Amino acid sequence: MADYYQVLVIGGGNAGISLAARLHRYKVADIGLIEPRPVHYFQPLFSHIGGGAARMSEAVRAQAQVMPREVEWIRGEAADIRPEENAVLLADGRRIGYGQLVVCPGLQLDWDGVPGLAEAMASPQVTSNYDPAMPEKTWKLVCSLRSGTAVFTQPPEPAKCAGVAQKIAYLACDYWREQGVLEDIRVVLVVPTPTVFGVKEVDAALRAKIAEYGIELCTSTTLAGVDAARRAVALAGPDGTRELTFNLLHAVPPQSAPDWLKDTPLPAAGDAGGFVEVDPELLRHRRYGNVWSLGDAAATLNYKSGGALRKQVKVLARNLAAVVGGREPRERYNHYGVCPIALTRHTLLFAEFDHQYRPMPTFPRLDPAKERRWAWVLDRWIFPQIYWHLILKGRA
């Protein structure tokens, strides 16, 4: 392993792997990638696993299996960035120099951000598809519930694909209806936003499905506490905080950039979330010209999602390749965001929008708020194959 790379990437998730592979395709050489984890997850499948429509084996690969062969895998954990010195320090004390740096470590799940939530995750009635260890637990809980109260919460932004937290509520309701027990289950969906999603057309479609399932929708409300022993949650809403008991709780914690990143010079002053301060279109740091960021840890304006990331990868790869080649970066990211929401275990709608939640459909002639069977097939079966065989190889 070298102690200097022309391009150094922090993070071996979707962002880091797909960007490194694309940079190599653009003839950028001498790339190092820092990633401590031995496994790689395709997280969009976690909701399908929790809904009983996929297996965990489909969502996981060994990191060595997806790492581009032409990229040097630095098996370690980033602990600090010193941009004035063009260096990254690892947790084990190693120091890696760089010519250009790309920061994409993803988000951390702040389980301690909600009192009692971290401890509650070990209890039999509480789960979260945002933890790789729990989608299979979610499905077991859904299968076993025949009556009582099921609570599903969505975290406030910033969060990775926050709206996807609703997905499991609809999948569970579809299963319970199929089993003939939905009328015996009180389903409560908690969202932090004034409307169920934020895009007018999508709101209408989701409200219709919520009414069809008989879900109680709590808007402008967040999870404020969990008492697993009493099987109770505290919900903070417009009228104050109230308590609700549950038989099943699917909770998603608040999220932020990794703690170590917050302590570097890269976030903007006063940014408590610790996100890397970049031009949201060029994806280049505003103060350090040889530092770039994309994905969930970047202070961009878009809704954080894999679909948004795919657009960012193309922009950043072209801009970084241009700078390495002595040219000015000219590509710009258009703030595109997308959230695939399964409404049944066989239908799905793709919500596509910009940073102001205005519709941005890929196919303008198609109703973007209509649930479709082919969209579910695309999300469940086709996208995972595109991810493993094309996106991670820098080809999509």
Side-chain angles (χ1 to χ4, degrees):
M1 186 193 76
D3 57 7
Y4 175 90
Y5 296 88
Q6 182 182 33
V7 176
L8 183 61
V9 179
I10 299 176
N14 182 352
I17 296 286
S18 57
L19 176 71
R22 187 169 285 271
L23 285 172
H24 177 75
R25 289 188 59 232
Y26 291 170
K27 310 303 181 185
V28 176
D30 192 25
I31 303 171
L33 191 151
I34 300 170
E35 172 56 52
R37 295 170 298 182
V39 295
H40 184 102
Y41 295 106
F42 179 58
Q43 297 182 36
L45 267 184
F46 288 0
S47 294
H48 289 294
I49 297 166
R55 300 182 306 276
M56 196 66 196
S57 60
E58 299 175 72
V60 61
R61 297 283 190 278
Q63 189 76 343
Q65 198 175 342
V66 299
M67 188 70 63
R69 288 193 299 271
E70 306 82 8
V71 173
E72 181 76 28
W73 179 13
I74 304 166
R75 306 186 191 202
E77 184 176 355
D80 193 13
I81 299 172
R82 298 182 178 176
E84 282 86 2
E85 304 171 18
N86 294 330
V88 172
L89 299 185
L90 304 188
D92 61 10
R94 284 179 289 171
R95 178 188 176 98
I96 312 294
Y98 60 81
Q100 302 286 329
L101 176 67
V102 182
V103 184
C104 48
L107 296 182
Q108 68 180 14
L109 302 178
D110 294 328
W111 297 103
D112 292 326
V114 175
L117 180 57
E119 297 81 7
M121 299 316 297
S123 68
Q125 295 84 19
V126 183
T127 188
S128 178
N129 289 337
Y130 277 57
D131 184 330
M134 293 191 182
E136 293 173 320
K137 178 184 180 181
T138 301
W139 175 233
K140 291 178 181 177
L141 290 177
V142 169
C143 286
S144 62
L145 191 67
R146 289 293 179 266
S147 64
T149 300
V151 179
F152 300 88
T153 74
Q154 177 179 321
E157 294 193 45
K160 47 186 174 183
C161 226
V164 167
Q166 299 182 26
K167 214 170 177 179
I168 187 59
Y170 307 131
L171 292 172
C173 284
D174 186 48
Y175 175 77
W176 290 328
R177 180 171 60 182
E178 179 186 285
Q179 297 298 305
V181 299
L182 181 58
E183 292 185 357
D184 299 318
I185 300 173
R186 179 189 181 188
V187 182
V188 180
L189 177 60
V190 179
V191 300
T193 46
T195 67
V196 64
F197 190 81
V199 178
K200 181 180 178 181
E201 296 82 357
V202 175
D203 282 342
L206 294 182
R207 281 193 172 275
K209 188 59 66 173
I210 285 168
E212 179 184 322
Y213 286 138
I215 296 173
E216 296 179 31
L217 176 65
C218 302
T219 56
S220 300
T221 303
T222 56
L223 181 65
V226 183
D227 187 333
R230 295 175 50 244
R231 292 193 301 187
V233 293
L235 302 178
D239 300 321
T241 301
R242 65 187 177 101
E243 186 175 277
L244 182 67
T245 58
F246 63 85
N247 301 92
L248 184 159
L249 171 63
H250 181 277
V252 183
Q255 297 157 44
S256 66
D259 286 337
W260 67 265
L261 181 57
K262 297 175 186 178
D263 294 331
T264 72
L266 298 188
D271 181 1
F275 299 95
V276 180
E277 181 187 10
V278 294
D279 179 309
E281 295 181 357
L282 289 176
L283 305 177
R284 191 181 201 176
H285 201 279
R286 292 189 182 276
R287 290 175 284 117
Y288 303 103
N290 64 338
V291 176
W292 311 75
S293 185
L294 76 166
D296 294 343
T300 50
L301 305 176
N302 60 284
Y303 177 87
K304 297 181 184 297
S305 68
L309 175 60
R310 190 168 65 87
K311 302 270 189 182
Q312 292 176 9
V313 166
K314 294 179 181 180
V315 169
L316 198 156
R318 288 171 181 153
N319 282 342
L320 183 50
V323 169
V324 169
R327 304 183 304 278
E328 287 296 312
R330 301 191 182 280
E331 296 289 328
R332 293 187 174 272
Y333 169 55
N334 64 358
H335 313 292
Y336 171 86
V338 59
C339 181
I341 307 175
L343 299 182
T344 72
R345 298 203 301 156
H346 305 287
T347 61
L348 181 142
L349 68 81
F350 280 108
E352 297 179 286
F353 44 91
D354 66 10
H355 58 304
Q356 296 179 317
Y357 281 74
R358 297 173 300 194
M360 187 183 275
T362 301
F363 303 103
R365 294 187 179 183
L366 294 178
D367 182 355
K370 183 177 180 180
E371 59 180 299
R372 304 174 189 275
R373 168 72 178 183
W374 64 259
W376 183 87
V377 172
L378 189 64
D379 188 66
R380 164 61 186 91
W381 293 103
I382 299 176
F383 276 171
Q385 299 307 312
I386 291 174
Y387 182 76
W388 295 122
H389 301 294
L390 294 176
I391 290 177
L392 292 185
K393 297 182 185 301
R395 297 182 178 277

